[in-house]
């Protein structure tokens, strides 16, 4: 107050050099305000502390006086606050994911107050089945399954004893991991000999990654040159297989998915025997006979050959036109021998057929 009646007092200056809070002063409007500015956040609910600042008053004649403003600050309950945000996380299918939270990521300004952590998806639903959270240690851990690719948001909440809380949200993105195709199956295991392009069987490999496409090829091993893969099937190549030369063939098939991962499987293909006609192995030369003289000719054993192991040959003969031998000539198929005595009227050239 001023003893001089009608003399107005004004704040000339404010000195807040030792003040814990913050003081703002507008000389023109004479507006003066005080804020704790967080300096007393340590006060628990019901606790109090004092603060002060100095100021100078001046009257119309220029006389001044110094004064001190005392402020009593009473503590209220403070909610927890986030100190260390959680960065967005990356995980991979089939690989252990772990995230250890910093022990001081939340703080509570109220002395002696503690917080309890809880976690769920940001939409309020539980965490994925593969992911667990230990609120005591602050550890997220788990192995994403191979169907877990994608992103989801996690809400992490710290709640103090009074029920006040703070929440932070971060994303977890699970990367898709490509897996190799499963075992290759071949629907057939045998093929008849001497059939170019014959179907051995259809190839099938299940890829565990949904929608992945598998392509098949032959490795340059075993008897690969005698086979080919066409439209997902194993086939004999352009030259038919011969049972007699090798009754079982080996091929290695590779199944490759879109990501380049592959699986190899060996298959044994049995070449089944097919009866094959005998072949002329030794040409028989022309023979001569004389009238009224005995004629004997035995067909050489090696004249015909049969590739079928254990097969026996039966012989027959007649004239080239398909008719029987002349009356003077006979053929014994058991010993492969022609015998006879041509008569005076049998001269000439006789063409025979031997089967």
């Amino acid at each position: 107050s001023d003893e001089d009646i009608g003399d107005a007092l004004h704040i000339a200056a404010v000195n807040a050099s030792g003040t814990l809070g913050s003081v703002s002063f507008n000389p023109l409007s004479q507006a003066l305000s005080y804020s704790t500015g967080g300096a007393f956040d340590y006060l628990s609910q019901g606790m109090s502390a004092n603060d002060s600042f100095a100021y100078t008053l001046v009257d119309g004649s220029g006389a001044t006086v110094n004064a001190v403003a005392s402020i009593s600050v009473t503590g209220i309950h403070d909610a927890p606050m986030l100190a260390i945000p959680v960065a967005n996380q990356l995980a991979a299918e089939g690989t252990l994911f772990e995230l250890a939270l910093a022990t001081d990521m939340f703080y509570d300004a109220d002395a002696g107050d503690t917080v309890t952590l809880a976690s769920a998806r940001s939409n309020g639903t539980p965490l994925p089945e593969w992911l667990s959270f230990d609120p005591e240690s602050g550890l997220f851990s788990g192995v994403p399954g191979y169907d877990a690719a994608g992103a989801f948001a996690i809400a992490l909440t710290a709640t103090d004893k009074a029920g006040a809380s703070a929440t932070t949200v971060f994303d977890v993105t699970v990367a898709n991991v490509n897996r190799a195709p499963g075992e290759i199956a071949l629907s057939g295991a045998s093929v008849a000999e001497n059939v170019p392009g014959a179907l051995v069987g259809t190839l099938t490999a299940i890829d565990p990654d949904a929608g992945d496409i598998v392509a098949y090829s032959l490795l340059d091993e075993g008897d690969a040159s005698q086979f080919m893969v066409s439209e997902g099937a194993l086939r004999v190549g352009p030259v038919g297989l011969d049972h007699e030369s090798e009754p079982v063939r080996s091929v290695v098939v590779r199944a490759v998915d879109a990501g380049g991962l592959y699986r190899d499987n060996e298959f044994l293909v049995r070449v089944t025997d097919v009866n094959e006609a005998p072949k002329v192995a030794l040409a028989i030369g022309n023979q001569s006979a004389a009238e009224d003289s005995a004629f004997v000719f035995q067909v050489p054993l090696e004249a015909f050959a049969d590739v079928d192991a254990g097969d026996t040959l039966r012989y027959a003969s007649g004239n080239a036109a398909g008719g029987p031998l002349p009356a003077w000539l006979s053929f014994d198929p058991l010993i492969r021998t022609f015998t006879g005595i041509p008569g005076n009227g049998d001269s000439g050239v006789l063409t025979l057929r031997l089967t």
Side-chain angles (χ1 to χ4, degrees):
S1 62
D2 195 308
E3 294 179 352
D4 300 319
I5 299 174
D7 206 354
L9 298 176
H10 299 278
I11 299 175
V14 174
N15 183 2
S17 60
T19 304
L20 299 177
S22 61
V23 179
S24 63
F25 171 61
N26 187 329
L28 295 178
S29 65
Q30 292 287 290
L32 179 67
S33 63
Y34 170 83
S35 171
T36 60
F40 297 92
D41 285 348
Y42 66 90
L43 294 175
S44 299
Q45 189 170 6
M47 294 178 63
S48 63
N50 294 320
D51 200 5
S52 64
F53 62 89
Y55 62 94
T56 301
L57 293 175
V58 61
D59 63 11
S61 63
T64 62
V65 62
N66 294 323
V68 175
S70 296
I71 303 168
S72 178
V73 180
T74 301
I76 61 174
H77 181 264
D78 294 299
M81 297 184 67
L82 177 67
I84 304 175
V86 181
N88 292 332
Q89 302 293 308
L90 294 176
E93 291 178 336
T95 302
L96 176 63
F97 168 80
E98 287 187 328
L99 170 63
L101 302 176
T103 56
D104 55 349
M105 70 172 296
F106 288 98
Y107 77 93
D108 195 304
D110 297 322
D113 211 350
T114 57
V115 297
T116 300
L117 299 178
S119 185
R121 292 178 189 255
S122 62
N123 60 8
T125 59
L127 295 175
E129 291 184 1
W130 64 266
L131 182 61
S132 63
F133 175 64
D134 182 355
E136 296 296 326
S137 64
L139 178 66
F140 289 91
S141 63
V143 179
Y146 286 97
D147 57 352
F152 60 95
I154 292 179
L156 180 65
T157 302
T159 305
D160 65 14
K161 294 178 181 178
S165 63
T167 298
T168 184
V169 176
F170 61 94
D171 292 334
V172 175
T173 300
V174 181
N176 180 63
V177 175
N178 185 39
R179 290 170 290 170
E183 291 291 326
I184 307 171
L186 179 62
S187 64
S190 64
V191 66
E193 66 173 336
N194 305 324
V195 183
L199 175 67
V200 178
T202 300
L203 295 165
T204 306
I206 303 301
D207 194 294
D209 300 308
D212 217 347
I213 298 175
V214 177
Y216 303 96
S217 61
L218 294 177
L219 299 190
D220 189 17
E221 299 178 15
D223 302 304
S225 62
Q226 303 171 28
F227 293 86
M228 62 183 178
V229 170
S230 175
E231 298 181 350
L234 178 65
R235 294 182 175 274
V236 175
V239 178
L241 305 178
D242 181 37
H243 167 84
E244 284 72 27
S245 62
E246 184 60 56
V248 178
R249 311 298 167 94
S250 170
V251 291
V252 178
V253 178
R254 171 166 291 181
V256 183
D257 66 14
L261 295 182
Y262 62 87
R263 181 179 296 275
D264 298 335
N265 282 106
E266 180 184 14
F267 296 97
L268 298 179
V269 179
R270 184 170 59 89
V271 182
T272 58
D273 190 18
V274 175
N275 186 47
E276 299 176 67
K279 295 181 179 179
V280 175
L282 177 66
I284 300 174
N286 294 329
Q287 304 296 313
S288 62
E291 291 179 339
D292 299 324
S293 296
F295 171 78
V296 178
F297 174 70
Q298 185 178 38
V299 178
L301 183 62
E302 61 272 19
F304 292 91
D306 195 308
V307 297
D308 298 316
D311 218 349
T312 57
L313 301 180
R314 292 180 299 167
Y315 299 85
S317 183
N319 64 37
L325 295 174
W328 68 267
L329 184 62
S330 63
F331 176 69
D332 186 342
L334 296 180
I335 58 174
R336 309 178 312 281
T337 302
F338 291 91
T339 59
I341 301 174
N344 292 328
D346 297 319
S347 62
V349 176
L350 179 64
T351 303
L352 303 182
R353 172 179 50 84
L354 179 62
T355 302

